């Protein structure tokens, strides 16, 4: 009996010691987790002070411009920054309006030059916090604008535009009405021209035009309807802002005022090459680019004219039958009203 009692007391003591050890481990883990949370909170507080009340004015402006151009998440800026300061930041960073129109003579699309260039060249681009693709199209006659056949109702995915037109590549183009972010991309805004015909036109005095003339020259900027008709535009959408006009960058201060996001853009070099740019955003591998980033990439690759196209969750590049980039929408590539497509062969427009 004595041995059994001693054994029972030993087992009870061991169990109590085990429970104490277990509680001690749990207590240590709780302290570690609590300490980590405190450090995170302190880090967030420090970051908040540095961004909003410290010397990091560049980060503050980037934060504000990014939030204010999301429309549905502007509260992320208004919670911490006064309306007056927000207005000042947006005004300071906005893109300048072009003071002159595109000079068509600045672009040379003579056949001998076209024949010396590669037909298509896909280039990976990257920068601080973003990745994307730039497609160079040597012959501008191969670049056309495709529009949904259900205007006012439903758009198409870029891959559908490419497939339906037997094209080899395509990017999303103009903007569209998107109340609540729930539309089917069928209602374009501004003006829409395909094969020399106006197929949609809002009643505006001027249009932010991104178009290609019948002489295969990319023109960008703000134009009246009369000017558009005089230019002999074969394909065009409305969007912007213009980023490069006659070799002059429009963003000379700040980031362009639209923060970081997925981007789509188009440009043209002096020898006629069309540049089609798509940059991913709103994901871990690529947060997004500013308008200044887009402008810099186009200039780096020789653009003499260039403009921002519809971005965000619409940004999509299709090349050789596949979506090359990673659209930010959780549902995959969006339906859009228009796409700039690349045909396998040039096609003339009367």
């Amino acid at each position: 009996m004595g041995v059994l009692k001693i054994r029972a007391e030993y087992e009870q003591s061991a169990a109590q010691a085990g429970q104490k050890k277990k509680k001690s481990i749990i207590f240590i883990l709780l302290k570690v987790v609590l300490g980590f949370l405190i450090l995170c909170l302190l880090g967030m507080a420090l970051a908040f002070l540095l961004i909003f009340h410290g010397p990091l004015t560049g980060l503050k402006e980037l934060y504000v411009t990014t939030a204010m151009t999301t429309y549905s998440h502007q509260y992320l800026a208004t919670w911490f920054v006064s309306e007056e300061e927000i207005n000042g930041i947006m005004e300071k960073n906005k893109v300048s309006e072009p003071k002159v129109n595109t000079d068509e003579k600045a672009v040379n699309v003579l056949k001998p030059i076209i024949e010396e260039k590669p037909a298509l060249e896909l280039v990976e681009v990257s920068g601080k916090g973003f990745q994307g693709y730039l497609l160079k199209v040597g012959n501008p006659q191969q670049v056309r604008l495709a529009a949904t056949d259900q205007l006012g109702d439903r758009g198409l995915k870029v891959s559908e535009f490419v497939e339906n037109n037997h094209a080899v590549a395509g990017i999303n183009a103009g903007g569209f009405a998107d109340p609540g972010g729930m539309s089917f991309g069928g209602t374009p805004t501004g003006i829409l021209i395909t094969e020399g015909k106006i197929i949609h036109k809002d009643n505006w005095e001027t249009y932010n035009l991104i178009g290609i003339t019948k002489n295969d020259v990319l023109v960008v900027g703000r134009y009246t309807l009369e000017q558009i008709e005089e230019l002999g535009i074969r394909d065009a959408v409305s969007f912007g802002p213009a980023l490069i006009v006659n070799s002059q960058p429009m963003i000379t201060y700040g980031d362009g005022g639209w923060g970081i996001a997925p981007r789509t853009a188009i440009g043209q070099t002096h020898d006629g090459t069309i540049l089609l740019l798509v940059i991913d955003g709103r994901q871990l591998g690529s947060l997004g680019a500013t308008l200044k980033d887009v402008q810099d990439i186009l200039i780096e690759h020789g653009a003499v004219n260039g403009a921002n196209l519809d971005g965000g969750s619409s940004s999509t590049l299709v090349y050789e039958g596949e979506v090359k980039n990673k659209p930010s929408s959780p549902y995959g590539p969006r339906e859009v009203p228009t796409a700039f497509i690349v045909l396998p062969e040039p096609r003339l427009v009367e």
Side-chain angles (χ1 to χ4, degrees):
M1 289 294 291
V3 172
L4 292 175
K5 183 177 180 182
I6 292 172
R7 182 175 180 180
E9 289 176 350
Y10 173 78
E11 290 177 348
Q12 183 179 6
S13 176
Q16 289 175 346
Q19 289 177 350
K20 288 181 179 179
K21 185 176 181 181
K22 186 176 180 180
K23 289 180 179 179
S24 177
I25 292 173
I26 292 173
F27 180 70
I28 291 171
L29 287 174
L30 286 174
K31 286 179 66 177
V32 170
V33 171
L34 182 61
F36 177 75
L37 290 174
I38 290 173
L39 284 175
C40 287
L41 289 172
L42 288 173
M44 290 172 64
L46 179 60
F48 176 85
L49 290 172
L50 287 173
I51 292 173
F52 295 105
H53 301 284
L56 303 180
T57 55
L59 284 177
K60 182 178 183 178
E61 291 182 3
L62 182 62
Y63 177 90
V64 169
T65 53
T66 300
M68 293 305 293
T69 51
T70 62
Y71 297 106
S72 57
H73 299 291
Q74 293 184 358
Y75 61 87
L76 293 173
T78 57
W79 275 354
F80 306 116
V81 184
S82 69
E83 182 179 353
E84 181 181 359
E85 189 173 5
I86 288 174
N87 291 337
I89 289 172
M90 299 301 289
E91 177 67 24
K92 186 168 63 171
N93 282 274
K94 75 177 184 179
V95 183
S96 301
E97 283 278 349
K99 292 183 173 60
V100 295
N101 290 334
T102 300
D103 179 8
E104 290 189 73
K105 296 179 181 178
V107 178
N108 191 338
V109 289
L110 295 176
K111 188 175 180 181
I113 294 180
I114 291 174
E115 291 180 344
E116 292 173 2
K117 298 180 296 183
L120 294 174
E121 182 183 1
L122 185 66
V123 179
E124 292 187 17
V125 296
S126 62
K128 191 175 181 180
F130 68 83
Q131 296 180 338
Y133 293 92
L134 178 70
L135 180 62
K136 300 182 178 182
V137 186
N139 190 339
Q141 291 179 1
Q142 290 177 250
V143 178
R144 301 285 154 166
L145 184 73
T148 177
D149 57 2
Q150 302 180 62
L151 278 178
D153 183 23
R154 195 177 196 107
L156 295 173
K157 295 178 181 179
V158 175
S159 57
E160 293 174 315
F161 281 117
V162 170
E163 182 180 357
N164 292 351
N165 291 276
H166 308 289
V168 295
I171 62 170
N172 62 295
F176 55 95
D178 190 24
M182 300 297 290
S183 80
F184 293 106
T187 307
T189 54
I191 195 167
L192 179 54
I193 303 172
T194 59
E195 298 188 342
K197 298 177 181 178
I198 298 175
I199 61 174
H200 173 86
K201 176 173 64 69
D202 289 325
N203 189 25
W204 296 353
E205 291 186 5
T206 60
Y207 300 87
N208 247 354
L209 189 77
I210 302 170
I212 301 175
T213 70
K214 292 178 182 179
N215 294 326
D216 306 309
V217 175
L218 176 71
V219 294
V220 298
R222 190 169 292 279
Y223 293 84
T224 65
L225 186 60
E226 290 73 23
Q227 289 173 321
I228 290 171
E229 292 174 346
E230 289 173 2
L231 282 170
I233 297 291
R234 66 165 165 85
D235 292 297
V237 294
S238 286
F239 210 76
L243 299 176
I244 308 161
V245 179
N246 302 330
S247 299
Q248 298 301 310
M250 294 294 100
I251 303 172
T252 56
Y253 176 86
D255 60 21
W258 287 22
I260 56 172
R263 302 288 180 202
T264 303
I266 187 170
Q268 188 174 39
T269 67
H270 73 92
D271 66 0
T273 299
I274 296 288
L275 308 175
L276 303 177
L277 175 66
V278 168
I279 295 174
D280 285 329
R282 300 173 185 166
Q283 49 197 284
L284 290 178
S286 184
L287 297 178
T290 67
L291 292 180
K292 179 66 162 53
D293 293 326
V294 173
Q295 176 180 280
D296 290 347
I297 292 171
L298 293 177
I299 290 174
E300 178 186 348
H301 289 271
V304 294
N305 292 296
N308 179 58
L309 292 167
D310 188 21
S313 56
S314 298
S315 290
T316 308
L317 168 66
V318 173
Y319 181 65
E320 294 186 339
E322 65 174 314
V323 178
K324 296 297 294 185
N325 70 311
K326 298 176 181 178
S328 64
S329 170
Y331 308 105
R334 290 197 68 180
E335 294 165 320
V336 294
T338 53
F340 279 113
I341 59 172
V342 181
L343 300 176
E345 298 292 336
R347 187 171 72 198
L348 296 176
V349 174
E350 296 297 330

